[in-house]
Amino acid sequence: MAMMHDTKLSIDRGRDILSTVRVIDPSTGRPYRNYTPLVAWDQLLDARNCDVLMDEIIGIAASMPGQSLPQEVQLLLNQLRRRDVLLRWTAPSWSRANIVLREVTQAVTVCRGYLPKYENLGDDSRLWGMNRLFRWTTYDAMDFTTWTDNKESKLKGKANAWFRRPGSWAERAYDTFDAVDSVDSGEGYCMRCGGMRPKRDRRGCVCH
């Protein structure tokens, strides 16, 4: 929700958005006209003058031993300013993200939810309550080099805000129960069969 809240200005301006979560135009309730699902890394190679939203980073650029981002993506992440690309990502923990992504991140917003509301819909009742109030505290990313919850309590945030969810623009800009797309590099571990995909073949490039 904080990510969508910070994307409002871009949506108001009609900027293109590549996103792993469906972006909704709150004024119509339909998918935002300049939203494109982000499902493969090669979509980023030509990205310019747009916002890139990566929800649940563990399915996109996780911090796992033996796994790294494609070299082309690493280069791109260090050229976001030149391409006028704004990148926002979410994760349950700072350390879950790939180190290359963390190194180019400028600010980190920690979100805490309060006042959960539990729905009672018979057999369709949800066991997870919907938080109605949030506290967003933003820190300089340099302070998160070695992050722990204990360290957070000692840091002084750059900004602090309380946000009420029900009826807000940000709540209507996405569906919190939507599936999140995974970004596929075309190689590596296959989560369906458990096997390993072969490395990219070494045929000559046919791009023109």
Side-chain angles (χ1 to χ4, degrees):
M1 181 167 294
M3 180 174 70
M4 297 308 303
H5 179 272
D6 287 348
T7 307
K8 183 179 187 301
L9 181 60
S10 294
I11 293 178
D12 289 344
R13 291 179 174 179
R15 274 172 63 99
D16 291 335
I17 296 179
L18 285 172
S19 176
T20 61
V21 64
R22 184 168 57 108
V23 180
I24 299 172
D25 183 344
S27 63
T28 65
R30 298 186 178 186
Y32 171 59
R33 67 183 186 279
N34 293 328
Y35 148 68
T36 300
L38 176 58
V39 296
W41 281 123
D42 59 10
Q43 289 178 265
L44 296 177
L45 298 183
D46 297 320
R48 282 176 172 79
N49 308 112
C50 67
D51 288 22
V52 176
L53 308 181
M54 298 180 177
D55 195 20
E56 303 293 354
I57 202 66
I58 195 170
I60 307 164
S63 176
M64 296 183 179
Q67 293 189 11
S68 62
L69 296 177
Q71 185 175 359
E72 300 87 349
V73 175
Q74 295 186 40
L75 181 61
L76 169 69
L77 291 175
N78 285 278
Q79 297 183 9
L80 297 178
R81 176 182 60 83
R82 297 178 182 178
R83 292 168 172 254
D84 188 29
V85 173
L86 295 177
L87 172 64
R88 300 182 179 92
W89 55 275
T90 72
S93 171
W94 169 252
S95 60
R96 291 287 186 177
N98 185 279
I99 188 171
V100 176
L101 187 60
R102 282 182 273 152
E103 287 175 344
V104 299
T105 298
Q106 297 181 2
V108 180
T109 297
V110 177
C111 176
R112 306 290 185 193
Y114 303 91
L115 303 180
K117 181 180 180 181
Y118 294 91
E119 298 179 350
N120 184 8
L121 302 176
D123 293 338
D124 295 327
S125 295
R126 294 185 179 276
L127 298 181
W128 287 75
M130 295 281 287
N131 288 318
R132 291 169 288 169
L133 182 67
F134 294 88
R135 182 184 181 187
W136 297 338
T137 307
T138 301
Y139 303 89
D140 190 317
M142 294 299 293
D143 294 331
F144 274 65
T145 304
T146 55
W147 174 252
T148 64
D149 288 340
N150 289 333
K151 184 176 181 179
E152 180 188 353
S153 63
K154 301 176 183 178
L155 292 178
K156 183 178 181 180
K158 298 171 59 177
N160 184 57
W162 288 93
F163 183 81
R164 185 178 179 275
R165 177 182 200 155
S168 66
W169 183 96
E171 181 183 44
R172 293 181 282 116
Y174 80 112
D175 184 349
T176 188
F177 300 115
D178 259 354
V180 178
D181 294 322
S182 295
V183 177
D184 190 0
S185 66
E187 62 182 64
Y189 176 79
C190 175
M191 67 178 183
R192 294 187 181 277
C193 71
M196 294 298 294
R197 292 173 172 171
K199 294 287 186 180
R200 293 176 180 172
D201 60 45
R202 302 302 179 185
R203 295 177 299 172
C205 178
V206 296
C207 297
H208 297 288

